[in-house]
Amino acid sequence: MSMRSLPEASVSAPARPLGYWLKHLDNLLERHFEATLSGLGVRADTPSPDISTSERFREALLGARSIAYTDPAAGGSSGLYLVTVLERLGISAEIARKTILCISGDDVVDKVVNGEAEIGSTFISEIITRPGMTVVGPFPAAIGHGMSYAVGLA
């Protein structure tokens, strides 16, 4: 559901009596806004590695010539999470040598599409919409990462 389909009062917050907001609160709290999973993507003309298990995911990353992901210093949540996964898998040092840090998920996808990176790690929602890209898949269930988005009223 997009923000555009919500009642105008839930998108902008004009001055209204408290009773108005309480009347609509249950309806607003039941709205699902967005969720996405972290995953890997490759160029559409490239074979997809097997990432079905944690061990195969590890092997795919170690076997790649280069990996693009969002710079943890930039605050990208998928990049922050990938760094913790690399540490858990014990491959941080090996991957650091072939990492291309990006400013956003779109930048990750750009690096893969133009051939600068062999594999990109970002949210699947950023990979799937891009011509020239193939979603390899989400992180394996044992290490998977999702992000949910919500709206709150204060």
Side-chain angles (χ1 to χ4, degrees), residues 95-115:
I95 299 304
R97 291 190 285 273
K98 52 185 166 182
T99 293
I100 299 171
L101 295 176
C102 301
I103 59 171
S104 67
D106 286 337
D107 191 28
V108 169
V109 174
D110 288 344
K111 300 289 189 214
V112 176
V113 168
N114 71 26

Side-chain angles (χ1 to χ4, degrees), residues 1-3 6 28-38 70 75-79 105 122-126 145-152:
M1 169 167 289
S2 73
M3 292 290 287
L6 293 175
L28 291 172
L29 291 176
E30 292 176 8
R31 303 279 184 187
H32 173 75
F33 288 91
E34 189 63 45
T36 187
L37 297 171
S38 289
T70 53
S77 56
S78 64
T122 188
F123 291 122
I124 289 175
S125 59
E126 295 173 312
H145 176 246
M147 178 63 68
S148 295
Y149 297 93
V151 173

Side-chain angles (χ1 to χ4, degrees), residues 35-131:
T36 187
L37 297 171
S38 289
L40 298 183
V42 295
R43 283 173 50 125
D45 60 356
T46 304
S48 293
D50 180 0
I51 61 167
S52 59
T53 66
S54 297
E55 184 55 33
R56 290 190 173 147
F57 180 85
R58 181 181 188 277
E59 290 169 4
L61 294 180
L62 289 172
R65 70 173 167 74
S66 55
I67 301 159
Y69 59 90
T70 53
D71 187 344
S77 56
S78 64
L80 287 165
Y81 187 73
L82 180 61
V83 168
T84 66
V85 168
L86 299 175
E87 290 169 1
R88 275 196 349 232
L89 295 174
I91 59 174
S92 295
E94 295 96 317
I95 299 304
R97 291 190 285 273
K98 52 185 166 182
T99 293
I100 299 171
L101 295 176
C102 301
I103 59 171
S104 67
D106 286 337
D107 191 28
V108 169
V109 174
D110 288 344
K111 300 289 189 214
V112 176
V113 168
N114 71 26
E116 289 179 59
E118 184 177 348
I119 293 178
S121 176
T122 188
F123 291 122
I124 289 175
S125 59
E126 295 173 312
I127 301 168
I128 201 167
T129 58
R130 185 62 177 275

